[in-house]
C-alpha cells in the first residue's frame, strides 16, 4: 500500500513538474513576399497563443504596430520600412524577440 501511495505521489509530482517546464513560448515569422509578415505562435505544450500580445518595434524600442495573436495563433502586419523587430510577449520570462533581418520569405 505504501509503495502504491509513494508511486502515485511521485508520478503526480513528475507530471506537475513536467507541465510547469513544458510551457516554453514559440514564435516564428515569415516574409510573405507581398509586403506583409505573418507570425505564428504557441507554446511547447501545444497550447494556443490566442490573445498573446505582439509588437513590432523600431531599433530604439518604439512601438510601430501592436496587436494580439488571433484565434489561430497568428498575427499578420504590413512590413515596416527600415529595421524592426517583432516581440512576442506572453508575460515575464515568456517573451521572444525576432529581428526583422531574420524574417525571410
Amino acid at each position: 500500500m505504501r509503495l502504491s501511495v509513494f508511486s502515485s505521489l511521485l508520478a503526480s509530482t513528475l507530471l506537475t513538474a513536467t507541465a510547469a517546464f513544458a510551457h516554453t513560448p514559440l514564435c516564428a515569422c515569415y516574409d510573405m513576399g507581398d509586403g506583409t509578415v505573418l507570425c505564428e505562435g504557441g507554446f511547447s505544450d501545444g497550447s494556443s497563443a490566442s490573445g498573446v500580445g505582439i509588437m513590432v518595434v523600431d531599433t530604439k524600442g518604439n512601438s510601430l504596430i501592436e496587436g494580439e495573436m488571433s484565434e489561430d495563433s497568428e498575427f499578420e502586419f504590413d512590413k515596416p520600412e527600415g529595421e524592426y523587430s517583432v516581440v512576442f510577449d506572453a508575460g515575464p520570462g515568456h517573451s521572444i524577440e525576432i529581428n526583422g533581418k531574420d524574417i525571410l520569405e
Side-chain angles (χ1 to χ4, degrees):
M1 176 75 172
R2 282 186 175 177
L3 184 58
S4 176
V5 171
F6 177 75
S7 296
S8 295
L9 286 172
L10 180 61
S12 176
T13 301
L14 289 174
L15 288 173
T16 302
T18 300
F21 292 112
H23 198 72
T24 302
L26 306 168
C27 185
C29 297
Y30 309 95
D31 184 331
M32 301 304 289
D34 62 358
T36 65
V37 174
L38 175 67
C39 298
E40 299 174 330
F43 296 92
S44 60
D45 64 357
S47 60
S48 169
S50 176
V52 169
I54 191 162
M55 290 191 316
V56 180
V57 297
D58 64 16
T59 56
K60 295 179 181 176
N62 298 314
S63 176
L64 302 173
I65 302 168
E66 292 184 36
E68 294 181 345
M69 301 301 275
S70 72
E71 184 176 300
D72 297 323
S73 296
E74 296 178 342
F75 183 75
E76 187 170 2
F77 59 92
D78 291 332
K79 185 178 175 179
E81 295 290 328
E83 295 183 29
Y84 68 95
S85 295
V86 176
V87 180
F88 175 88
D89 187 7
H94 287 84
S95 67
I96 297 172
E97 184 168 344
I98 302 170
N99 190 313
K101 292 178 182 177
D102 297 327
I103 299 173
L104 307 173
E105 284 187 39

